[in-house]
Amino acid sequence: MEIKKIMVVGAGIMGQGISLVFARKGLSVIIQDIADEQVKKGLQDIEKNLDKEINKGDISLKEKELILKGITGTTELKEAKNVDFVIEAVTEDIKIKKEIFRNLDKFCPPDVIFASNTSSLSITEIAQVVSRKDKVIGMHFFNPPTKMELIEIVCGKDTAKQTFQTVKRLSEILGKKIVKVKDSPGFIVNRLLIQMINESCFLLQDGVANPEEIDLAMQLGARHPLGPLGLADLIGLDVCLSIMETFYQKFQDSKYKPCPLLKEMVEKGKKGRKTGEGFFKYGTDCR
């Protein structure tokens, strides 16, 4: 099946980025969210990001117009009845993801693949709510999707080989490198990365060093382009906490217990760049 038209469910930061990645390759994209204002904001943010690229000289006005022409917005999941492929990029809540796929299953033709951009949740479990278990797969992009080269392709217990091959080809069309991953909490990158962020929170909580020193140590001592606390702010502290909680629940091992400081910051609304403050403070242009 040739994939020409795609629905991206979720108009947040990841949904916007994923939509741009597809639209840049000439694919038609419908970006969906539950409210008009969220869809509108998603489309406006996409245009703002393209304007920044124009100002940097990375793209022309004509290229911007062509990309935007390929992206439309909707609040209706039933619009998926006319697409060739669906990827959801909503919050890391398995109940919400299941409900989305359960509804999509009613509208989409039986040959349409359902992909999830989940960063930690079980593809096998998500697939249980649909009739096409063999066509459910993880397609985990990294933030920002327009710049990060990697996609983790996650095969659940019931994912068909043909489904994997189709998503692999699609990823390659997008110009991405892929790694095939067995369905396991956090997959590869987040299984390693989020634990490092959690341990960095413990370093800060224990007064070993301040945020700037922790990040500088990893940047200069381990050649990381961005320190773990700055990275946590970029990802979103609420997302980091959600992933750690998933690890702790699934593995039942104390090494995955979320740092109390991480919980405290999320409770205070300090979730990183998207709220203007996390371990560091940010201006409105960083959100």
Side-chain angles (χ1 to χ4, degrees):
M1 178 182 178
E2 187 177 4
I3 296 173
K4 294 182 178 180
K5 193 170 186 178
I6 291 159
M7 174 174 277
V8 177
V9 181
I13 292 172
M14 289 304 293
Q16 294 165 24
I18 292 168
S19 297
L20 266 174
V21 170
F22 284 123
R24 285 181 190 280
K25 296 299 179 180
L27 298 167
S28 178
V29 179
I30 304 173
I31 187 166
Q32 187 274 343
D33 215 311
I34 57 175
D36 285 328
E37 57 267 28
Q38 287 170 256
V39 174
K40 185 178 179 181
K41 184 180 184 304
L43 293 172
Q44 288 174 339
D45 287 348
I46 286 172
E47 185 166 7
K48 285 178 185 176
N49 285 328
L50 289 173
D51 285 337
K52 287 179 183 177
E53 292 189 40
I54 289 175
N55 291 336
K56 291 178 183 177
D58 293 336
I59 62 170
S60 67
L61 179 60
K62 185 176 180 181
E63 286 172 314
K64 171 195 165 181
E65 290 171 350
L66 282 172
I67 292 167
L68 289 179
K69 189 177 179 181
I71 305 174
T72 58
T74 184
T75 58
E76 300 291 337
L77 271 181
K78 65 183 179 182
E79 293 296 320
K81 65 185 178 182
N82 297 316
V83 304
D84 307 312
F85 184 86
V86 178
I87 178 167
E88 67 78 16
V90 302
T91 186
E92 280 291 278
D93 185 320
I94 199 161
K95 290 181 181 178
I96 294 173
K97 292 181 187 290
K98 283 182 174 180
E99 186 62 22
I100 287 167
F101 282 128
R102 186 182 289 112
N103 288 324
L104 284 167
D105 204 37
K106 302 171 188 175
F107 304 125
C108 293
D111 58 342
V112 172
I113 291 171
F114 291 170
S116 174
N117 184 57
T118 179
S119 54
S120 64
L121 301 172
S122 170
I123 298 301
T124 301
E125 186 176 348
I126 291 170
Q128 298 311 303
V129 300
V130 301
S131 58
R132 63 191 82 199
K133 295 178 179 61
D134 61 321
K135 290 183 172 61
V136 178
I137 195 165
M139 191 179 188
H140 181 213
F141 288 79
F142 292 83
N143 190 22
T146 52
K147 295 181 180 178
M148 300 295 278
E149 291 183 84
L150 183 68
I151 293 177
E152 288 180 320
I153 299 181
V154 188
C155 295
K157 184 185 71 173
D158 302 302
T159 305
K161 185 176 181 180
Q162 183 57 48
T163 300
F164 167 75
Q165 291 296 337
T166 299
V167 175
K168 180 176 181 286
R169 284 196 301 272
L170 179 60
S171 301
E172 290 167 348
I173 287 169
L174 299 177
K176 302 296 187 182
K177 302 292 185 182
I178 71 108
V179 288
K180 184 180 180 182
V181 188
K182 181 181 177 182
D183 193 13
S184 179
F187 319 131
I188 296 172
V189 175
N190 281 331
R191 177 87 171 264
L192 297 169
L193 189 64
I194 301 300
Q195 287 187 81
M196 180 184 69
I197 288 171
N198 197 53
E199 192 61 34
S200 299
C201 293
F202 277 113
L203 282 171
L204 181 59
Q205 178 180 276
D206 295 345
V208 175
N210 64 37
E212 291 80 8
E213 291 165 335
I214 291 168
D215 275 17
L216 185 62
M218 291 306 292
Q219 286 174 286
L220 301 185
R223 299 189 71 180
H224 288 196
L226 185 63
L229 298 178
L231 181 59
D233 282 351
L234 178 63
I235 295 169
L237 303 194
D238 54 333
V239 176
C240 294
L241 177 59
S242 175
I243 295 171
M244 280 305 300
E245 288 175 335
T246 297
F247 290 169
Y248 190 47
Q249 178 188 2
K250 295 295 183 182
F251 292 116
Q252 293 293 300
D253 189 322
S254 60
K255 73 179 180 180
Y256 297 108
K257 190 173 183 179
C259 177
L261 176 61
L262 181 59
K263 285 187 173 183
E264 180 185 328
M265 293 188 70
V266 172
E267 286 168 2
K268 289 180 177 179
K270 297 179 180 181
K271 300 178 182 178
R273 292 192 181 212
K274 59 188 172 185
T275 60
E277 184 176 0
F279 293 108
F280 304 96
K281 291 186 178 181
Y282 305 88
T284 55
D285 59 328
C286 292
R287 300 185 203 181

